[in-house]
Amino acid sequence: MSVTQQGEDSPISVRQALRWLLVVVILLWPTWSQAKTIRAVMHSDLRALDPILSSAYITRDHGYMVYDTLVAMDSSFTIKPQMADWKVSDDKLTYTFTLRDGLKWHDGTPVTSEDCVASLKRWAAVDGMGQKLMEFTASLEATDARTITLKLKEPYGLVLEAIGKPSTLVPFMMPKRLADTPPSKAIPEQIGSGPFKFIQAEFQPGVRAVYEKNRDYVPRTEPPSWASGGKVVKVDRVEWVTMPDVQTAANALQVGDIDFLERPSFDLLPVLQANKDLTSRPLNGLGFQTIGRMNFLHPPFDNVKIRRAALMAMNQKDVLDALIGNPQLYKICGAVFGCDTPLATDIGSDSLVKGNTMAEARKLLVESGYDGTPVVILAPTDVVTLKPQPIVAAQALRQAGFQVTVQTADWQTVNTIFASQKPPKDGGWNMFFTNWGIADIMNPIVSAPLNSRGRKGAWVGWPDDPQMEELRDAFARAGSSDDQKIIASKIQARTFEQVTYIPLGQYFAPSVWHKELTGVLDGPATPVFWNMDKPE
């Protein structure tokens, strides 16, 4: 007999209900208390959740937890099937993608080709590599529930590399009802088909983000390699805990309050590496390029001569010494596409890699007609790999004769500010610094900083340079690797001529974790939390 059948006003029924509830709690408590949980401190607090709206790496990392991709790149730079397999027609004009069986969204509905077409179109509207792909695309359609057909206007050799790009902006798949959201507006909820589910009820920006194992996810059978292969989740729960103070985070790792620390400060690394209970290595073997970006829309950097004066005032060694300190973890590198990559060249980079050009910077600034307009530099306060660059740059620009204002904020606030096209006097900006994984800048099409489509298509800073776009088109059509290298050299020369952005050197950032944590994977978009395991 149920409680309500005994009478809702009966004291006995209430006592029985409480007893049953107590029994349930006692029975389930071992499960709750023994949930296998990885607690990690990431490089930044998570605030922006839409991985198409934000280029921040923390948002990309969130995306890999929740979403999946049609195809993915492995450690040999080869594109592999992920959610879908594909075929290419003999004339290289038609790509047919077929979704694998059993794909479901976190809300239980099946993944369809219409979802994926909408997702690709939303991504391609804002991503540089996606935009270029769409220029070559005649049609992109869902031809049945599991089939996506992409038809080209002419052969284009970077179709799979675009759809399988491993890092920002990643073409993550989401339900059509979310993917139909304009790319300028954040999606209203986090529903993917990936290996983890985002627990919205436990999300506290500035405190923690929580993910639970997606028990309906069916991993591929291949071994994991970068973003490809089997995404096998071996824990019940992952918590990203916010600890803005790096010393607090390091202490928490050493006493076991957290399991994984993505970005310890470089000055604390020797202490952590001396701890026999911890493991440390750079997970991104390609490294990162730290860069300076100017706003082309507003004075003073709407003037190319003033941009060149700012370029001449800076040098990589000063930035890398302040940022990293340890020469074993950085590389002075004039290559826009990253050193040790197929397109690496040092054309145009002399002032950055050799330094000692401050006198030339001062002379050029005078010749430019600079009128003292303040340069507003955005300076994040809570990301260890972004704090030194604005300080070093501000000092260098002042020495060259610029008036400089340093505007401090947390990194997520900086992300919001630099997305604005408002003038600096109305809350906008003139210059900021960020880091790109080498995988994100290693060719002219994938590199967001080289996109020069102006207000409507370029990455923040919004350079408008038709000549650069002609060179990027030529690279996309190049028929051989030798032709690509020639065009890439011209693009690098143009980058320094126009100061499209300032490459300030290459560095490697070790992560640190407890030795009991196993299965930590390498890759250009790390950390990922599938394959990780820890003892009960």
Side-chain angles (χ1 to χ4, degrees), residues 295-491:
N295 191 331
F296 285 63
L297 301 183
H298 307 294
F301 292 138
D302 57 344
N303 182 330
V304 65
K305 290 184 178 180
I306 296 178
R307 294 199 300 272
R308 289 175 189 160
L311 168 68
M312 298 296 289
M314 298 185 199
N315 71 79
Q316 290 189 356
K317 189 174 188 305
D318 287 348
V319 171
L320 293 171
D321 281 344
L323 174 63
I324 310 300
N326 182 354
Q328 294 180 343
L329 292 175
Y330 75 68
K331 181 180 296 186
I332 292 175
C333 172
V336 165
F337 303 111
C339 284
D340 304 318
T341 67
L343 301 179
T345 174
D346 59 2
I347 290 173
S349 65
D350 280 1
S351 67
L352 283 176
V353 300
K354 295 179 181 178
N356 298 317
T357 53
M358 184 61 74
E360 295 175 56
R362 293 191 187 102
K363 179 181 178 183
L364 187 56
L365 187 62
V366 172
E367 293 174 356
S368 72
Y370 174 64
D371 62 1
T373 299
V375 174
V376 176
I377 300 179
L378 301 180
T381 58
D382 59 341
V383 180
V384 294
T385 55
L386 293 175
K387 292 171 73 172
Q389 299 94 314
I391 307 306
V392 174
Q395 181 179 355
L397 293 180
R398 287 175 180 134
Q399 289 178 359
F402 285 91
Q403 298 295 315
V404 179
T405 299
V406 177
Q407 181 175 332
T408 60
D410 64 85
W411 175 235
Q412 295 303 321
T413 301
V414 168
N415 268 273
T416 301
I417 296 171
F418 74 56
S420 170
Q421 295 185 356
K422 292 180 181 179
K425 65 182 179 63
D426 296 327
W429 59 282
N430 293 117
M431 192 173 197
F432 81 99
F433 297 83
T434 191
N435 306 311
W436 286 97
I438 298 301
D440 284 325
I441 50 98
M442 67 187 300
N443 75 56
I445 309 304
V446 73
S447 177
L450 292 182
N451 185 326
S452 299
R453 298 164 180 261
R455 284 180 181 268
K456 294 184 178 180
W459 182 55
V460 293
W462 306 282
D464 189 350
D465 185 355
Q467 184 173 332
M468 177 68 85
E469 287 304 298
E470 289 175 6
L471 288 168
R472 293 175 73 233
D473 283 344
F475 182 90
R477 291 184 167 90
S480 69
S481 59
D482 288 341
D483 290 341
Q484 288 181 335
K485 289 178 181 179
I486 292 171
I487 298 166
S489 294
K490 294 179 180 179
I491 288 173

Side-chain angles (χ1 to χ4, degrees), residues 39-268:
R39 303 183 80 235
V41 172
M42 302 293 280
H43 69 276
S44 171
D45 179 34
L46 177 66
R47 294 183 185 270
L49 300 179
D50 189 334
I52 304 303
L53 188 63
S54 173
S55 62
Y57 279 168
I58 190 65
T59 307
R60 174 207 66 190
D61 298 341
H62 162 79
Y64 268 116
M65 299 291 279
V66 176
Y67 304 97
D68 212 342
T69 57
L70 290 179
V71 299
M73 182 180 289
D74 71 6
S75 60
S76 66
F77 299 94
T78 302
I79 302 299
K80 298 289 188 179
Q82 193 60 31
M83 293 172 69
D85 207 335
W86 70 88
K87 293 181 180 179
V88 185
S89 62
D90 292 340
D91 61 6
K92 309 297 183 185
L93 293 178
T94 302
Y95 286 72
T96 304
F97 297 88
T98 303
L99 295 172
R100 62 187 177 102
D101 292 332
L103 297 175
K104 290 195 299 184
W105 301 116
H106 293 162
D107 60 9
T109 58
V111 175
T112 71
S113 56
E114 286 189 350
D115 296 319
C116 299
V117 167
S119 297
L120 287 173
K121 288 181 176 178
R122 185 172 191 260
W123 159 77
V126 291
D127 179 75
M129 208 164 186
Q131 290 169 346
K132 188 62 65 179
L133 173 60
M134 289 300 106
E135 290 178 14
F136 285 82
T137 296
S139 63
L140 175 60
E141 298 177 342
T143 47
D144 63 40
R146 294 181 56 208
T147 306
I148 303 155
T149 303
L150 172 66
K151 293 186 177 180
L152 300 173
K153 301 171 186 176
E154 59 181 285
Y156 178 57
L158 299 175
V159 171
L160 296 176
E161 286 77 2
I163 297 175
K165 62 179 297 198
S167 192
T168 302
L169 295 168
V170 179
F172 291 119
M173 298 296 105
M174 55 186 65
K176 184 177 186 297
R177 62 184 173 82
L178 299 180
D180 283 342
T181 305
S184 59
K185 181 180 178 182
I187 56 176
E189 57 183 323
Q190 300 298 301
I191 300 294
S193 65
F196 292 91
K197 293 182 178 182
F198 180 64
I199 309 304
Q200 182 68 51
E202 297 191 53
F203 179 46
Q204 301 177 63
V207 180
R208 68 174 182 173
V210 177
Y211 305 85
E212 290 183 354
K213 179 178 181 177
N214 176 14
R215 300 188 183 281
D216 291 330
Y217 184 76
V218 180
R220 297 192 66 87
T221 57
E222 302 91 341
S225 177
W226 284 11
S228 74
K231 299 178 179 180
V232 179
V233 177
K234 300 178 180 180
V235 297
D236 302 301
R237 180 179 170 98
V238 175
E239 297 180 4
W240 291 358
V241 183
T242 300
M243 292 184 184
D245 180 72
V246 292
Q247 184 66 64
T248 300
N251 292 342
L253 180 68
Q254 293 190 91
V255 300
D257 288 341
I258 62 171
D259 305 292
F260 184 96
L261 178 56
E262 182 185 3
R263 289 287 182 272
S265 63
F266 288 95
D267 59 335
L268 289 176

